[in-house]
Amino acid sequence: MAIPTSDFLQLNTRIPENPFHHLPFASQRAVTFSVKKLPWPNPKAALTLTRSPSISISQTFTKLKSQGKVAFIPYITAGDPDLTTTIQALKVLDSCGSDVIELGIPCSDPSLDGPVIRASASRSLAGGTKLNNIISMLEDVIPQLSCPITLLSYSKPIIRHGIGNFMSTISQIGVRGLVVPDVPFENTQSLRNEAAKNNVELVLLTTPTTTTSQMKNIVRASEGFVYLVSALGVTGARPRVNQQVPNLLREIKEVTSKAVAVGFGLSKPEHVKQVAEWGADGAIVGSAIVKVLGEARSPLQGLRDLESFAKSFKSALP
């Protein structure tokens, strides 16, 4: 995800009646998911068919804090190189001690992503990955995982399927959190309302250029944890962590007791160790992991490399 220097979380625009009026599909009729074995849309069914980890994302952070630990949060793209491999990758990451796993929904125009995740999304879509396939895959695999899953999705798929419809569906299959990076904070009210109705924790982002007043609003509204974008620009490996991060963490922690996880550019075990020493409650590793899995000689080799790579990050954290 690239963060433009204008900061997409700080748009000083009037909030429209339809917060997504400026985006494609906003006026189209919602498309209903076809979810295997879920007799929905029956609101009562969700109460009995939800098969999710018993602990939420915020509860995960509370537990880790009581143990003096910092969360390891890896990111992978669904369907790269294929959904069968994604299932195995989720299991590998879970077995390696991931505390939360962030799963990306591939998008044809990932405007906020760098070259590694863009290429990953392209491979996934070229292989025929569809949102319905991802939903069905998650329905099967989430009950086999011990850590919570949060999705990262651009706004287009959510709008296309209807905000309420989307939130209800991911909640029913056990997804615990959601990150929508391309919607300005001022326009997140509909997302926040539907997420709250469906017990999905909507994680909001703050950046190095977010004003103090805006940061306070974002932190107050964010659920699960606060996502601190460590640097401006595209996602991808960086030689070092932005030296502004300690000050940014301190400023956020002065106004909230919520967990703060740092992401963008963390590509080495020493990077996650450093942000943990600076006071982060979690470390998000994306492009480096996507590259290992998606660019391997074979899916099997990718899974083997993923396991050793993930363990190196986990072992670097307290």
Side-chain angles (χ1 to χ4, degrees):
M1 296 179 293
I3 307 298
T5 55
S6 60
D7 191 347
F8 67 89
L9 297 174
Q10 299 179 42
L11 300 182
N12 294 317
T13 55
R14 182 176 61 86
I15 302 175
E17 289 184 7
N18 174 1
F20 303 120
H21 79 294
H22 59 294
L23 297 171
F25 307 119
S27 63
Q28 294 185 9
R29 186 174 58 185
V31 178
T32 301
F33 290 100
S34 175
V35 183
K36 182 177 58 177
K37 296 183 288 188
L38 287 180
W40 78 289
N42 177 356
K44 294 182 179 180
L47 300 176
T48 58
L49 291 177
T50 297
R51 301 176 299 170
S52 57
S54 59
I55 186 169
S56 69
I57 295 170
S58 54
Q59 289 170 334
T60 297
F61 276 100
T62 298
K63 179 181 178 181
L64 290 171
K65 186 174 182 179
S66 70
Q67 298 171 342
K69 297 181 178 180
V70 174
F72 170 46
I73 309 174
Y75 168 96
I76 60 173
T77 303
D80 181 29
D82 52 63
L83 286 175
T84 298
T85 304
T86 298
I87 291 172
Q88 297 306 316
L90 291 172
K91 292 178 180 178
V92 166
L93 291 172
D94 188 43
S95 69
C96 290
S98 300
D99 299 291
V100 178
I101 300 174
E102 190 174 72
L103 183 67
I105 304 297
C107 176
S108 60
D109 181 25
S111 58
L112 305 177
D113 279 310
V116 171
I117 295 180
R118 275 182 170 269
S120 176
S122 295
R123 288 191 297 267
S124 176
L125 293 172
T129 302
K130 304 292 185 183
L131 186 53
N132 280 356
N133 305 137
I134 297 171
I135 294 296
S136 294
M137 178 272 292
L138 287 173
E139 182 198 358
D140 288 336
V141 75
I142 283 178
Q144 303 175 51
L145 305 176
S146 62
C147 69
I149 296 291
T150 183
L151 295 182
L152 187 147
S153 176
Y154 283 87
S155 54
K156 285 183 181 179
I158 300 173
I159 295 164
R160 178 174 174 79
H161 291 84
I163 300 174
N165 187 36
F166 183 90
M167 294 293 186
S168 174
T169 300
I170 66 172
S171 177
Q172 287 185 49
I173 62 171
V175 170
R176 305 310 299 263
L178 176 65
V179 182
V180 187
D182 62 334
V183 176
F185 170 69
E186 293 85 353
N187 289 353
T188 60
Q189 191 63 59
S190 296
L191 287 168
R192 286 152 51 196
N193 289 346
E194 292 299 329
K197 288 179 186 177
N198 290 282
N199 295 316
V200 173
E201 292 179 306
L202 186 67
V203 178
L204 301 179
L205 300 88
T206 183
T207 80
T209 59
T210 303
T211 65
T212 299
S213 60
Q214 185 76 313
M215 178 270 287
K216 290 179 179 179
N217 291 332
I218 291 167
V219 166
R220 189 179 303 116
S222 189
E223 299 291 342
F225 63 92
V226 177
Y227 192 135
L228 172 57
V229 175
S230 67
L232 302 178
V234 299
T235 53
R238 288 172 171 79
R240 63 189 62 86
V241 184
N242 183 2
Q243 296 299 300
Q244 287 182 273
V245 170
N247 289 335
L248 295 170
L249 282 168
R250 186 178 63 254
E251 291 172 0
I252 295 171
K253 286 178 172 289
E254 284 176 354
V255 299
T256 186
S257 59
K258 293 177 181 177
V260 184
V262 176
F264 273 56
L266 306 187
S267 58
K268 303 175 183 178
E270 51 263 41
H271 291 169
V272 301
K273 181 179 180 181
Q274 187 169 49
V275 298
E277 291 172 349
W278 286 339
D281 301 294
I284 303 165
V285 183
S287 295
I289 287 179
V290 168
K291 186 178 180 70
V292 164
L293 182 62
E295 299 182 9
R297 294 192 307 272
S298 68
L300 180 59
Q301 186 61 51
L303 291 168
R304 289 171 176 165
D305 294 344
L306 175 67
E307 181 177 18
S308 59
F309 199 54
K311 285 181 176 178
S312 70
F313 284 98
K314 180 65 177 180
S315 63
L317 291 169

